[in-house]
Each structure stands twice: as C-alpha cells, then as structure tokens.
Amino acid sequence: MRYVKDLACIKCGLQYSPDSSCYLCSCGGLLEVRYDYDLLRLEWDRDSLAENSDFSMWRYLPLLPVGPFSKRSPLHIGWTPVYKSSALAKAIGLQRPVWVKDEGLNPTGSLKDRASAVAVVKAVEAAATTVACSSSGNAASSLAGNIAAMGGSMQAVTFVPARAPQGKIAQILIYGAKVISVQGSYREAFELSVATIERWGWYNGNAAINPYLIEGKKTAVLELAEQLNWQMPDWLVLPVGDGCTIAGAGKALRELKELGFIDKIPRLLGVQAAGCAPIYLAFSTGNELMPAEENTLADSIAAGVPRNPLKAIKEIQSSNGFMVAVEDEEILEALRLMGRTCGIFAEPSSAAGLAGLARAVRQGLLAADSEVALISTGNGLKDVASALKAASHPLRVLPDIHRLSAVVEEK
C-alpha cells in the first residue's frame, strides 16, 4: 500500500482514504484506486522490474493495493504464455501475426484468478472469515479456489445463475465453497449476493463493486506489456461482460504510459455477444445503458445489467477504440479457429474476443497491417457442452482396419 494515494469516485471525483471500507461513493459512483506516480517513478522502473525473479502477478506489487507482507494465496497466478500466430492472422485477413495471451492457464482456468487473489488479500487484511461474490461461473470458481488454497481460514459463498455451466459448478463445489444457484438471471444473482453480503457483513468479492479487484485484473496487461518487451501493438482486444476486465486493461495501459514504461497506448476493441450487449449499445448510440436479455452461450460475458459500464466505456473512448457485437455462430467459429491455428482451447466468452476481431477486420474497422494482441480469458474445459457444438463429430468405426480404410478413403 506504500504507493496508494487514495480512492476517487469516477463520477463526482470525491476522494476517500486508502484505508476506507467504502466500495461505492456517497453519490453511488464506483471508486478507483489511485497511486502516487511521482514517487513510483523515483523508486520503480523497468530495470528494477527486470531484476525481479518472481514471475507471477505479484511482480507488479508496487501497482497493487496490498501490503508487502499481507498473506496471499499460494496459487501461482500470472505469467501466462503469449503466442505469436501468423496462421490466425492470415485466417482473418491480417498481414501481421496476432499475439494471443492465454489466461486459461491460470490455476482455476481464467483471468479471474488475478482479481480473486487480490480479494483474498484484502479479505485477510480486513480480518474477514467469509467472502462472497456473484458470478456466471469463472469468478466464483476462482474465488473458491483461491480461498481453498488458504488452508481453511476463510469460507467462500458464491451466487450463480441457473444457466451457469455444470463444469464451473463442479469446480466451485470441489473447492469446498458454498454454491447458491439462483433460479434467475445473472442480474438477480448479483442483487441477491449484495443483499446477503450487507445482511451478514461478509467481505464483498464482486469485482463490479469492489475497486481493489480491478487492480488484480489489470496485471494481465502489465504482464503482456513486459512480455512484448514494452513494444505495444496497435490494438488490444478483449471480451466485455460487466466491463471490469477491459476497464482494468485501460487503467494498466494509462499507468504504464504515466510511468514511462511504454511509449503508446493501444486502441481498445471491446467485444460483446449480440445476445447480451448493453455496453455495446450504450457505447454505439451514446444513450443511457438499458438492461438487456442474457441470451447467449457466452455465459461469462452475459451481464444483462453490467455494473461497470462507465469505467469500460471511458477506457475504450480514451484509447480511441471502439466496440463490436458478435453472434453466437461467430463465437463458435472463433472457438474452432483459435483451436486449430493457436492450439488454445478457449471457452465461448474468450472466443468472443477473436470473433469481434474477425468482424472488425471484415468491416474495415482495423487496417489489414495492424499489429494486434488478443487476451483469451478462460479455458474451454469449463464449458465442454458449447465446445461440442462448435466441433465436428468424430469418425465412428468398428475395430477393423478394412472398415477404417473404407471410411478414410471415402472421406
């Protein structure tokens, strides 16, 4: 916490102490963690970072709102691989290779581990015994896994909508968390979690409200920048649900530029599923955000009433970026494409980012010679049912070489 200056409301600008227990401003606006960048420039630079042997998200501790000696989850989170794919670029009409960062290789299989790791630290600092969140699955399984790794000192309670994939439910239960399956939408699960947290005084693990959790999410982009040797691409592409992840990405880029680590900020391309695209519609029309149906197989980004639209839109606009919305069929095609060109098995919400990139290239929104980085946010094993919709059927044969030969020759 040495470099944390304050928490500031993104609506009215009111400032709060870093030690404040507030999650929301008195005006109802979301808060943002701000750092003392002048002090950071004096005490932390790229050379000192290069000497750090901790290749996890915690190598960026100066830009995280946690104490240096606070107890952390022992799970190894971060430093996920970045792949350079010419085959993917060629398939969607780009002339330069696309960089793909595979966040599905984090301990519980998604980028959400970065936010959950910070939630656990802050809960420990607050002497909390129960941490709760609402989620379509990934945030809940991530919180459950990180709390389980703490050895029984805390309990996780998760609220999930009825449509949450069974793979994610199984994962949460295996970690020993309490699962409350809300027979309704993500919006209803979120509202019930907030009411429950307030009633029993549990620590709030909802990234859409808790300003500290976005700080964890932003480490994916801090890491990507370092892995690219601080040479940033023209575009950075991310799927968008509540808006927290792309808001964190934009904040990371602004901070890196402020500290002199990078020379330019990539333009952000935010992608929503057409079946649930309230932030895309607000961004595109300039109108107030309206609730939307949650009608897409990309469950992790199906937030009918997103809680972080202002931060998301602000970061996209300040980067001179834009948003697109994609159909489920485009997402399934992107899921197949990422698999066969990169060897990455992504879940539908992750593949939505690639689907949006492909659409933007087709529509001429990106120049063909653009350099692009894409963050794949979650592992496909979390939603095998959707993967099977995208995949072709296996060849079914009897255990006979002659019959197999006939099938192979026919195909």
Side-chain angles (χ1 to χ4, degrees), residues 14-89:
L14 188 62
Q15 298 170 12
Y16 292 80
S17 163
D19 298 324
S20 171
S21 60
C22 294
Y23 295 132
L24 297 173
C25 179
S26 57
C27 76
L30 296 173
L31 301 180
E32 181 174 85
V33 180
R34 299 195 304 182
Y35 299 84
D36 186 338
Y37 299 110
D38 292 334
L39 183 59
L40 271 165
R41 277 192 293 270
L42 290 173
E43 299 184 354
W44 193 58
D45 57 19
R46 296 190 329 195
D47 290 338
S48 61
L49 181 60
E51 295 172 358
N52 191 334
S53 61
D54 180 3
F55 288 97
S56 75
M57 64 176 282
W58 302 114
R59 69 190 280 105
Y60 308 107
L61 191 62
L63 273 178
L64 288 172
V66 301
F69 304 110
S70 294
K71 187 176 181 181
R72 308 172 196 160
S73 164
L75 296 180
H76 186 90
I77 299 166
W79 211 253
T80 54
V82 177
Y83 304 109
K84 186 178 182 180
S85 178
S86 297
L88 175 58

Coordinates of all heavy atoms in Angstrom, one line a residue, residues 14-89:
L14 N -15.0 12.7 -5.7 CA -14.8 12.7 -4.3 C -13.7 11.7 -3.9 O -13.7 10.6 -4.4 CB -16.1 12.4 -3.5 CG -16.1 12.5 -2.0 CD1 -15.8 14.0 -1.6 CD2 -17.4 12.1 -1.4
Q15 N -12.8 12.1 -3.0 CA -11.7 11.2 -2.6 C -11.9 10.6 -1.3 O -12.4 11.2 -0.4 CB -10.4 12.0 -2.6 CG -10.1 12.6 -4.0 CD -8.9 13.6 -3.9 OE1 -8.2 13.7 -2.9 NE2 -8.7 14.4 -5.0
Y16 N -11.4 9.3 -1.2 CA -11.5 8.6 0.1 C -10.1 8.1 0.5 O -9.3 7.9 -0.4 CB -12.5 7.4 -0.1 CG -13.9 7.7 -0.3 CD1 -14.4 8.1 -1.5 CD2 -14.8 7.7 0.8 CE1 -15.7 8.5 -1.7 CE2 -16.1 8.0 0.6 CZ -16.6 8.4 -0.7 OH -17.9 8.7 -0.9
S17 N -9.9 7.9 1.8 CA -8.7 7.3 2.3 C -8.5 5.9 1.7 O -9.4 5.1 1.6 CB -8.7 7.3 3.8 OG -7.7 6.5 4.3
P18 N -7.2 5.5 1.5 CA -6.9 4.1 1.1 C -7.4 3.1 2.1 O -7.6 1.9 1.7 CB -5.4 4.1 0.9 CG -5.0 5.5 0.8 CD -6.0 6.3 1.5
D19 N -7.5 3.5 3.4 CA -7.9 2.6 4.4 C -9.5 2.5 4.6 O -10.0 1.8 5.4 CB -7.3 3.0 5.8 CG -5.8 3.0 5.7 OD1 -5.3 2.1 5.1 OD2 -5.2 3.9 6.3
S20 N -10.2 3.3 3.7 CA -11.6 3.3 3.8 C -12.2 1.9 3.5 O -11.7 1.2 2.7 CB -12.2 4.3 2.8 OG -13.6 4.3 2.7
S21 N -13.3 1.6 4.2 CA -14.0 0.4 3.9 C -15.1 0.6 2.9 O -15.9 -0.4 2.6 CB -14.6 -0.1 5.2 OG -15.6 0.8 5.7
C22 N -15.2 1.8 2.3 CA -16.2 2.0 1.3 C -15.9 1.3 0.0 O -14.8 1.2 -0.5 CB -16.3 3.6 1.0 SG -16.9 4.5 2.4
Y23 N -17.0 0.8 -0.7 CA -16.8 0.3 -2.0 C -17.4 1.3 -3.1 O -17.0 1.3 -4.2 CB -17.6 -1.0 -2.2 CG -17.0 -2.1 -1.3 CD1 -17.8 -2.9 -0.5 CD2 -15.6 -2.4 -1.3 CE1 -17.2 -3.9 0.3 CE2 -15.1 -3.4 -0.5 CZ -15.9 -4.2 0.2 OH -15.4 -5.2 1.0
L24 N -18.4 2.0 -2.6 CA -19.1 3.0 -3.5 C -19.0 4.4 -2.9 O -19.0 4.5 -1.7 CB -20.6 2.6 -3.7 CG -20.8 1.2 -4.4 CD1 -22.3 0.9 -4.4 CD2 -20.3 1.3 -5.9
C25 N -19.0 5.4 -3.8 CA -19.1 6.8 -3.3 C -20.5 7.1 -2.7 O -21.5 6.4 -3.0 CB -18.8 7.7 -4.5 SG -18.8 9.4 -4.1
S26 N -20.6 8.1 -1.9 CA -21.9 8.5 -1.4 C -22.8 8.9 -2.5 O -24.0 8.9 -2.3 CB -21.7 9.7 -0.4 OG -21.0 10.8 -1.1
C27 N -22.3 9.3 -3.7 CA -23.2 9.6 -4.8 C -23.6 8.4 -5.6 O -24.4 8.5 -6.5 CB -22.5 10.6 -5.8 SG -21.2 9.8 -6.8
G28 N -23.1 7.2 -5.2 CA -23.4 6.0 -5.9 C -22.4 5.6 -7.0 O -22.5 4.5 -7.5
G29 N -21.4 6.4 -7.2 CA -20.4 6.1 -8.2 C -19.4 5.1 -7.8 O -19.2 4.9 -6.6
L30 N -18.8 4.5 -8.7 CA -17.7 3.5 -8.4 C -16.4 4.2 -8.1 O -16.2 5.3 -8.6 CB -17.5 2.6 -9.6 CG -18.7 1.7 -10.0 CD1 -18.4 1.0 -11.3 CD2 -19.0 0.7 -8.9
L31 N -15.6 3.6 -7.3 CA -14.4 4.1 -6.8 C -13.2 3.5 -7.7 O -13.3 2.4 -8.2 CB -14.1 3.9 -5.4 CG -15.2 4.5 -4.4 CD1 -14.8 4.1 -3.0 CD2 -15.3 6.0 -4.6
E32 N -12.1 4.3 -7.8 CA -10.9 3.8 -8.5 C -9.7 4.1 -7.6 O -9.6 5.1 -7.0 CB -10.8 4.6 -9.8 CG -9.6 4.2 -10.6 CD -9.6 4.8 -12.0 OE1 -9.1 5.9 -12.1 OE2 -10.1 4.2 -13.0
V33 N -8.8 3.1 -7.6 CA -7.6 3.2 -6.8 C -6.6 4.1 -7.6 O -6.4 3.9 -8.8 CB -7.0 1.8 -6.5 CG1 -5.7 2.0 -5.7 CG2 -7.9 0.9 -5.8
R34 N -6.0 5.1 -6.9 CA -5.0 6.0 -7.5 C -3.7 5.9 -6.7 O -3.7 5.7 -5.5 CB -5.5 7.4 -7.5 CG -6.8 7.6 -8.3 CD -7.1 9.0 -8.7 NE -7.2 9.9 -7.5 CZ -7.4 11.2 -7.5 NH1 -7.7 11.8 -8.7 NH2 -7.5 11.9 -6.4
Y35 N -2.6 6.0 -7.5 CA -1.3 5.8 -6.9 C -0.5 7.1 -7.0 O -0.8 8.0 -7.8 CB -0.6 4.7 -7.7 CG -1.2 3.4 -7.6 CD1 -2.3 3.0 -8.5 CD2 -0.9 2.4 -6.6 CE1 -2.9 1.8 -8.4 CE2 -1.5 1.2 -6.5 CZ -2.5 0.9 -7.4 OH -3.1 -0.3 -7.3
D36 N 0.6 7.2 -6.2 CA 1.5 8.3 -6.2 C 2.5 8.0 -7.4 O 3.6 7.4 -7.1 CB 2.2 8.4 -4.9 CG 3.1 9.7 -4.8 OD1 3.5 10.2 -5.9 OD2 3.3 10.1 -3.7
Y37 N 2.2 8.4 -8.6 CA 3.0 8.1 -9.7 C 4.4 8.8 -9.7 O 5.4 8.3 -10.2 CB 2.3 8.4 -11.0 CG 1.0 7.6 -11.1 CD1 -0.3 8.2 -11.0 CD2 1.0 6.2 -11.3 CE1 -1.4 7.5 -11.1 CE2 -0.1 5.5 -11.4 CZ -1.4 6.1 -11.3 OH -2.5 5.4 -11.4
D38 N 4.4 10.0 -9.1 CA 5.7 10.7 -8.9 C 6.7 9.9 -8.1 O 7.8 9.7 -8.4 CB 5.5 12.1 -8.3 CG 4.7 13.0 -9.2 OD1 4.8 12.9 -10.4 OD2 4.0 14.0 -8.7
L39 N 6.2 9.4 -7.0 CA 7.0 8.5 -6.1 C 7.4 7.2 -6.8 O 8.5 6.8 -6.7 CB 6.3 8.3 -4.8 CG 7.1 7.4 -3.7 CD1 8.4 8.2 -3.4 CD2 6.2 7.2 -2.5
L40 N 6.4 6.7 -7.5 CA 6.7 5.4 -8.2 C 7.8 5.6 -9.3 O 8.7 4.8 -9.4 CB 5.4 4.9 -8.9 CG 4.5 4.0 -8.1 CD1 3.2 3.9 -8.8 CD2 5.2 2.6 -8.0
R41 N 7.8 6.7 -10.0 CA 8.8 7.0 -11.0 C 10.2 7.1 -10.4 O 11.2 6.7 -11.0 CB 8.5 8.2 -11.8 CG 7.5 8.1 -12.9 CD 7.5 9.3 -13.8 NE 6.9 10.4 -13.1 CZ 5.6 10.7 -13.1 NH1 4.7 10.0 -13.7 NH2 5.2 11.8 -12.4
L42 N 10.3 7.5 -9.1 CA 11.6 7.7 -8.4 C 12.1 6.3 -7.9 O 13.3 6.1 -7.9 CB 11.4 8.6 -7.2 CG 11.2 10.1 -7.6 CD1 11.0 10.9 -6.3 CD2 12.5 10.7 -8.3
E43 N 11.2 5.4 -7.6 CA 11.6 4.2 -6.9 C 11.4 2.9 -7.7 O 11.8 1.8 -7.2 CB 10.8 4.1 -5.6 CG 11.1 5.3 -4.6 CD 10.4 5.1 -3.3 OE1 9.6 4.2 -3.1 OE2 10.7 6.0 -2.4
W44 N 10.7 3.0 -8.8 CA 10.4 1.7 -9.6 C 10.5 2.0 -11.0 O 9.9 2.9 -11.5 CB 9.0 1.3 -9.2 CG 8.6 -0.1 -9.6 CD1 9.3 -1.3 -9.3 CD2 7.5 -0.5 -10.4 NE1 8.6 -2.4 -9.8 CE2 7.5 -1.9 -10.5 CE3 6.5 0.2 -11.0 CZ2 6.5 -2.6 -11.2 CZ3 5.5 -0.5 -11.7 CH2 5.5 -1.9 -11.8
D45 N 11.2 1.1 -11.8 CA 11.4 1.3 -13.2 C 11.5 -0.1 -13.9 O 11.5 -1.1 -13.2 CB 12.5 2.2 -13.6 CG 13.9 1.7 -13.0 OD1 14.0 0.5 -12.7 OD2 14.8 2.5 -12.9
R46 N 11.7 0.0 -15.2 CA 11.8 -1.3 -15.9 C 13.0 -2.1 -15.5 O 12.9 -3.3 -15.5 CB 11.8 -1.0 -17.4 CG 10.5 -0.4 -17.9 CD 10.3 -0.3 -19.4 NE 11.5 -0.2 -20.2 CZ 11.4 0.2 -21.5 NH1 10.2 0.5 -22.1 NH2 12.5 0.3 -22.2
D47 N 14.1 -1.4 -15.2 CA 15.3 -2.2 -14.8 C 15.1 -2.9 -13.5 O 15.5 -4.1 -13.4 CB 16.5 -1.2 -14.7 CG 16.9 -0.7 -16.1 OD1 16.6 -1.3 -17.1 OD2 17.5 0.4 -16.1
S48 N 14.5 -2.3 -12.5 CA 14.3 -2.9 -11.3 C 13.3 -4.1 -11.4 O 13.4 -5.1 -10.8 CB 13.8 -1.9 -10.2 OG 12.6 -1.3 -10.6
L49 N 12.3 -3.9 -12.3 CA 11.4 -5.0 -12.6 C 12.1 -6.2 -13.2 O 11.8 -7.3 -12.9 CB 10.2 -4.5 -13.4 CG 9.1 -5.5 -13.8 CD1 8.4 -6.0 -12.5 CD2 8.1 -4.8 -14.7
A50 N 13.0 -5.9 -14.1 CA 13.7 -7.0 -14.8 C 14.5 -7.8 -13.9 O 14.8 -9.0 -14.1 CB 14.6 -6.4 -15.9
E51 N 14.9 -7.2 -12.7 CA 15.7 -8.0 -11.7 C 14.8 -8.8 -10.8 O 15.4 -9.6 -10.0 CB 16.5 -7.0 -10.9 CG 17.6 -6.2 -11.7 CD 18.2 -5.1 -11.0 OE1 17.9 -4.9 -9.8 OE2 19.1 -4.4 -11.5
N52 N 13.5 -8.7 -10.9 CA 12.6 -9.4 -10.0 C 12.5 -10.8 -10.5 O 12.1 -11.1 -11.7 CB 11.2 -8.7 -10.0 CG 10.3 -9.2 -9.0 OD1 10.4 -10.3 -8.5 ND2 9.4 -8.4 -8.6
S53 N 12.8 -11.8 -9.6 CA 12.7 -13.2 -10.0 C 11.3 -13.8 -9.8 O 11.1 -15.0 -10.0 CB 13.8 -14.0 -9.2 OG 13.5 -13.9 -7.8
D54 N 10.4 -13.1 -9.3 CA 9.0 -13.6 -9.0 C 8.2 -13.4 -10.3 O 7.6 -12.4 -10.6 CB 8.4 -12.8 -7.9 CG 7.0 -13.3 -7.5 OD1 6.5 -14.3 -8.2 OD2 6.3 -12.7 -6.7
F55 N 8.1 -14.5 -11.1 CA 7.3 -14.4 -12.3 C 5.9 -14.8 -12.0 O 5.4 -15.9 -12.4 CB 8.0 -15.3 -13.4 CG 9.3 -14.6 -13.9 CD1 10.5 -15.0 -13.4 CD2 9.2 -13.6 -14.9 CE1 11.7 -14.4 -13.9 CE2 10.4 -13.0 -15.3 CZ 11.6 -13.4 -14.8
S56 N 5.2 -14.0 -11.3 CA 3.8 -14.1 -11.1 C 3.2 -12.7 -11.1 O 3.9 -11.7 -11.3 CB 3.5 -14.8 -9.7 OG 3.8 -13.9 -8.6
M57 N 1.9 -12.6 -10.8 CA 1.2 -11.3 -10.8 C 1.8 -10.4 -9.8 O 1.7 -9.2 -9.9 CB -0.3 -11.5 -10.6 CG -0.7 -12.1 -9.3 SD -2.5 -12.1 -9.1 CE -2.8 -10.4 -8.6
W58 N 2.4 -11.0 -8.7 CA 2.9 -10.2 -7.6 C 4.2 -9.4 -7.9 O 4.7 -8.6 -7.1 CB 3.1 -11.1 -6.4 CG 1.8 -11.7 -6.0 CD1 1.6 -13.1 -6.0 CD2 0.6 -11.1 -5.5 NE1 0.3 -13.3 -5.6 CE2 -0.3 -12.1 -5.3 CE3 0.3 -9.8 -5.3 CZ2 -1.6 -11.9 -4.9 CZ3 -1.0 -9.5 -4.9 CH2 -2.0 -10.6 -4.6
R59 N 4.8 -9.7 -9.1 CA 6.0 -8.9 -9.5 C 5.6 -7.4 -9.7 O 6.5 -6.5 -9.8 CB 6.6 -9.5 -10.8 CG 5.9 -9.4 -12.0 CD 6.5 -10.2 -13.1 NE 7.7 -9.6 -13.8 CZ 8.9 -9.9 -13.6 NH1 9.2 -10.9 -12.7 NH2 9.9 -9.3 -14.2
Y60 N 4.3 -7.2 -9.9 CA 3.8 -5.8 -10.1 C 3.3 -5.2 -8.8 O 2.4 -4.3 -8.8 CB 2.7 -5.8 -11.2 CG 3.3 -6.4 -12.4 CD1 2.8 -7.7 -12.8 CD2 4.2 -5.8 -13.2 CE1 3.3 -8.3 -13.9 CE2 4.7 -6.5 -14.3 CZ 4.2 -7.7 -14.7 OH 4.7 -8.4 -15.8
L61 N 3.8 -5.7 -7.6 CA 3.3 -5.3 -6.3 C 3.2 -3.7 -6.1 O 2.3 -3.2 -5.5 CB 4.1 -5.9 -5.2 CG 3.6 -5.8 -3.8 CD1 2.3 -6.5 -3.7 CD2 4.6 -6.4 -2.8
P62 N 4.2 -3.0 -6.6 CA 4.1 -1.5 -6.5 C 2.8 -0.9 -7.1 O 2.4 0.2 -6.6 CB 5.3 -1.0 -7.2 CG 6.3 -2.1 -7.1 CD 5.5 -3.3 -7.2
L63 N 2.2 -1.6 -8.0 CA 1.0 -1.1 -8.6 C -0.2 -1.9 -8.2 O -1.2 -2.0 -8.9 CB 1.1 -1.1 -10.2 CG 1.7 0.1 -10.8 CD1 1.8 -0.1 -12.4 CD2 0.9 1.4 -10.5
L64 N -0.1 -2.5 -7.0 CA -1.2 -3.2 -6.4 C -1.5 -2.7 -5.0 O -0.6 -2.3 -4.3 CB -0.9 -4.7 -6.4 CG -0.9 -5.4 -7.7 CD1 -0.3 -6.8 -7.5 CD2 -2.2 -5.4 -8.3
P65 N -2.8 -2.6 -4.6 CA -3.2 -2.0 -3.4 C -3.2 -3.0 -2.2 O -4.1 -3.2 -1.4 CB -4.7 -1.6 -3.6 CG -5.2 -2.6 -4.6 CD -4.0 -3.0 -5.4
V66 N -2.0 -3.7 -2.1 CA -1.9 -4.7 -1.0 C -0.6 -4.4 -0.2 O 0.4 -3.9 -0.8 CB -1.9 -6.1 -1.5 CG1 -3.2 -6.4 -2.2 CG2 -0.7 -6.4 -2.4
G67 N -0.6 -4.8 1.0 CA 0.6 -4.6 1.8 C 1.7 -5.6 1.4 O 1.4 -6.8 1.0
P68 N 3.0 -5.3 1.5 CA 4.0 -6.2 1.1 C 4.1 -7.5 1.9 O 4.6 -8.5 1.4 CB 5.3 -5.4 1.2 CG 4.9 -4.3 2.3 CD 3.5 -4.0 2.0
F69 N 3.6 -7.5 3.1 CA 3.7 -8.6 4.0 C 2.3 -9.3 4.3 O 2.2 -10.2 5.1 CB 4.4 -8.3 5.3 CG 5.7 -7.6 5.1 CD1 5.9 -6.3 5.4 CD2 6.8 -8.4 4.6 CE1 7.2 -5.7 5.2 CE2 8.0 -7.8 4.4 CZ 8.2 -6.4 4.7
S70 N 1.3 -8.8 3.5 CA 0.0 -9.4 3.7 C 0.0 -10.8 3.2 O 0.6 -11.2 2.2 CB -1.1 -8.6 3.0 OG -1.2 -7.3 3.5
K71 N -0.8 -11.7 3.9 CA -0.8 -13.1 3.5 C -1.6 -13.2 2.1 O -2.6 -12.7 1.9 CB -1.5 -13.9 4.5 CG -1.5 -15.4 4.3 CD -2.1 -16.2 5.4 CE -2.0 -17.7 5.2 NZ -2.7 -18.5 6.3
R72 N -1.0 -14.0 1.2 CA -1.6 -14.2 -0.1 C -1.9 -15.6 -0.4 O -1.3 -16.5 0.2 CB -0.6 -13.7 -1.2 CG 0.0 -12.3 -1.0 CD 1.1 -12.1 -2.0 NE 1.9 -10.9 -1.6 CZ 3.1 -10.7 -2.1 NH1 3.7 -11.5 -2.9 NH2 3.8 -9.6 -1.7
S73 N -2.7 -15.8 -1.4 CA -3.0 -17.2 -1.9 C -1.7 -17.8 -2.4 O -1.0 -17.1 -3.1 CB -4.0 -17.2 -3.0 OG -4.0 -18.4 -3.7
P74 N -1.4 -19.0 -2.1 CA -0.1 -19.6 -2.6 C -0.2 -20.1 -4.0 O 0.8 -20.5 -4.6 CB 0.1 -20.8 -1.6 CG -1.3 -21.2 -1.2 CD -2.0 -19.9 -1.1
L75 N -1.4 -20.0 -4.6 CA -1.5 -20.4 -6.0 C -0.6 -19.5 -6.9 O -0.5 -18.3 -6.7 CB -3.0 -20.3 -6.5 CG -4.0 -21.2 -5.8 CD1 -5.4 -21.0 -6.4 CD2 -3.6 -22.7 -6.0
H76 N 0.0 -20.1 -7.9 CA 0.9 -19.4 -8.8 C 0.0 -18.8 -9.9 O -0.4 -19.5 -10.9 CB 2.0 -20.3 -9.4 CG 2.9 -19.5 -10.2 ND1 4.1 -18.9 -9.7 CD2 2.9 -19.1 -11.5 CE1 4.8 -18.3 -10.6 NE2 4.1 -18.4 -11.8
I77 N -0.2 -17.5 -9.8 CA -1.1 -16.8 -10.7 C -0.3 -15.9 -11.6 O 0.5 -15.1 -11.1 CB -2.2 -16.1 -10.0 CG1 -3.1 -17.0 -9.2 CG2 -3.1 -15.3 -10.9 CD1 -3.9 -16.4 -8.1
G78 N -0.5 -15.9 -12.9 CA 0.1 -15.0 -13.8 C 1.3 -15.6 -14.5 O 1.6 -16.7 -14.5
W79 N 1.9 -14.7 -15.3 CA 3.0 -15.0 -16.3 C 2.5 -16.1 -17.2 O 3.2 -17.1 -17.5 CB 4.3 -15.4 -15.6 CG 5.5 -15.1 -16.4 CD1 6.3 -15.9 -17.1 CD2 5.9 -13.7 -16.7 NE1 7.2 -15.2 -17.8 CE2 7.0 -13.9 -17.6 CE3 5.5 -12.4 -16.4 CZ2 7.7 -12.8 -18.1 CZ3 6.2 -11.4 -16.9 CH2 7.3 -11.5 -17.7
T80 N 1.2 -16.0 -17.7 CA 0.7 -16.9 -18.6 C 1.3 -16.6 -20.0 O 1.8 -15.5 -20.3 CB -0.8 -16.7 -18.7 OG1 -1.1 -15.3 -19.0 CG2 -1.5 -17.1 -17.5
P81 N 1.4 -17.7 -20.8 CA 2.1 -17.5 -22.1 C 1.5 -16.6 -23.1 O 0.3 -16.4 -23.1 CB 2.2 -19.0 -22.6 CG 1.0 -19.6 -22.0 CD 0.8 -19.0 -20.7
V82 N 2.3 -16.1 -24.0 CA 1.9 -15.2 -25.1 C 2.4 -15.9 -26.4 O 3.6 -16.2 -26.5 CB 2.4 -13.8 -25.0 CG1 2.0 -13.0 -26.3 CG2 1.9 -13.1 -23.8
Y83 N 1.5 -16.2 -27.3 CA 1.8 -16.8 -28.6 C 1.7 -15.9 -29.7 O 0.8 -15.0 -29.7 CB 0.9 -18.1 -28.8 CG 0.9 -19.1 -27.7 CD1 -0.2 -19.2 -26.8 CD2 2.1 -19.8 -27.4 CE1 -0.1 -20.1 -25.8 CE2 2.1 -20.8 -26.4 CZ 1.0 -20.9 -25.6 OH 1.0 -21.8 -24.5
K84 N 2.5 -16.1 -30.7 CA 2.5 -15.2 -31.9 C 2.0 -16.1 -33.1 O 2.7 -17.1 -33.4 CB 3.9 -14.7 -32.2 CG 4.1 -13.7 -33.3 CD 5.5 -13.3 -33.4 CE 5.7 -12.3 -34.5 NZ 7.1 -11.8 -34.6
S85 N 0.9 -15.8 -33.6 CA 0.3 -16.7 -34.6 C 0.1 -16.0 -36.0 O -0.8 -15.1 -36.1 CB -1.1 -17.2 -34.2 OG -1.7 -18.0 -35.1
S86 N 0.9 -16.4 -37.0 CA 0.7 -15.9 -38.3 C -0.5 -16.6 -39.0 O -1.2 -16.0 -39.8 CB 1.9 -16.2 -39.2 OG 3.0 -15.5 -38.7
A87 N -0.8 -17.9 -38.6 CA -1.9 -18.6 -39.2 C -3.2 -18.0 -38.8 O -4.1 -17.9 -39.6 CB -1.8 -20.1 -38.7
L88 N -3.3 -17.6 -37.5 CA -4.6 -16.9 -37.1 C -4.8 -15.6 -37.8 O -5.9 -15.3 -38.3 CB -4.5 -16.7 -35.6 CG -5.7 -15.9 -35.0 CD1 -7.0 -16.6 -35.3 CD2 -5.5 -15.7 -33.5
A89 N -3.7 -14.8 -38.0 CA -3.8 -13.5 -38.7 C -4.2 -13.7 -40.1 O -5.1 -13.0 -40.6 CB -2.4 -12.8 -38.6

